[in-house]
Amino acid sequence: MTKETKDIQKKYQVGVEATLEVIGGKWKPLIIYNLMTGRKRTSELRRLIPNITQKMLTNQLRGLENDGIITRKIYKQVPPKVEYELTAYGWGLKGALDSLCYWGEDHLDKVHGDKSKVLEECNASQN
Amino acid sequence: MTKETKDIQKKYQVGVEATLEVIGGKWKPLIIYNLMTGRKRTSELRRLIPNITQKMLTNQLRGLENDGIITRKIYKQVPPKVEYELTAYGWGLKGALDSLCYWGEDHLDKVHGDKSKVLEECNASQN
DNA sequence: CAGTATCCTTTCCGATACTG
DNA sequence: CAGTATCGGAAAGGATACTG
């Protein structure tokens, strides 16, 4: 193996891993997906993602914010109001996420049958 | 939220998750990447991925095999010889993995600077 | 050479209670 | 309403020793 091959191999690995750190985890894809339909309050996200705990929601939102995927806007009022919104940078993930969705749906169909409507559903987040 | 939206949301989530189950984990992307350059013996993979333990290598290979991504060919001889190879189905992951690599490299560059050669390296696995 | 078994650490994540 | 703190279980992964 040449040094160049080793470098490329490493780049490939760290590239993939870097993305998986941003969109991986149990809830991040779903949070991003829901923000693709527009800015949302914390309570809206909780309603849209019923099974997530408050702790995990905050965790994942902070992670996405630190990676520049979303913004967090705080309205100084009582009771508090916070809104999350995808950044332009975050929208750049759409292609990768759609790839994952499409392949995954296709894969599940291969295992379980029923191949209808795969494409439409994976692209349903489009504007 | 309409029932349709809920369904699409769920599809999106399970699709992404299904793919992440196949290519997720610490070593699977790198194993797939290395198999993109051709069939490999177990010992070759160990050499190509120096930090992986035998346990994890076997683990991940079994997972990929169960998902139909790779085949395992056993030569009945002493000492044993086993070769792993990407299936046509496994090659279907290339697009998704490249998306992840590309975005990840781009993201790392955004954080660390040095934007050179991103495209080439992510596409280096091409034939 | 290829794979298995065991033990251990680390990380992820859920449940619950609490605060401004 | 939004967020924090703490506890505990489950799962992923690493180190090591062993087998055919």
Side-chain angles (χ1 to χ4, degrees), chain B residues 22-118:
Chain B
V22 174
I23 64 169
K26 191 165 175 181
W27 302 107
K28 282 178 181 173
L30 197 48
I31 291 172
I32 295 171
Y33 169 81
N34 277 294
L35 291 180
M36 281 179 183
T37 61
R39 174 185 334 140
K40 297 277 183 302
R41 294 187 59 166
T42 311
S43 52
E44 291 182 282
L45 287 172
R46 293 200 66 187
R47 192 169 39 75
L48 292 165
I49 311 174
N51 294 328
I52 197 172
T53 62
Q54 206 159 35
K55 173 191 160 188
M56 287 313 294
L57 180 58
T58 305
N59 264 2
Q60 309 290 292
L61 285 170
R62 291 294 177 282
L64 292 171
E65 191 188 0
N66 290 335
D67 287 324
I69 309 303
I70 64 174
T71 57
R72 177 165 177 255
K73 179 168 184 184
I74 305 164
Y75 295 81
K76 301 218 168 183
Q77 63 184 47
V78 178
K81 175 178 173 181
V82 176
E83 282 184 339
Y84 295 94
E85 185 171 15
L86 268 189
T87 62
Y89 189 62
W91 276 101
L93 281 166
K94 180 167 174 21
L97 279 168
D98 285 347
S99 296
L100 295 181
C101 174
Y102 184 83
W103 193 93
E105 281 296 309
D106 206 31
H107 179 62
L108 292 173
D109 289 336
K110 190 201 172 203
V111 179
H112 296 116
D114 181 17
K115 190 147 182 165
S116 60
K117 298 202 173 180
V118 171

Side-chain angles (χ1 to χ4, degrees), chain B residues 9-29:
Chain B
Q9 180 196 46
K10 189 173 181 181
K11 280 267 183 187
Y12 192 88
Q13 183 181 31
V14 302
V16 173
E17 282 177 354
T19 307
L20 291 182
E21 269 190 31
V22 174
I23 64 169
K26 191 165 175 181
W27 302 107
K28 282 178 181 173

Side-chain angles (χ1 to χ4, degrees), chain A residues 26 55-56 80:
Chain A
K26 190 165 176 183
K55 172 190 160 188
M56 288 312 294

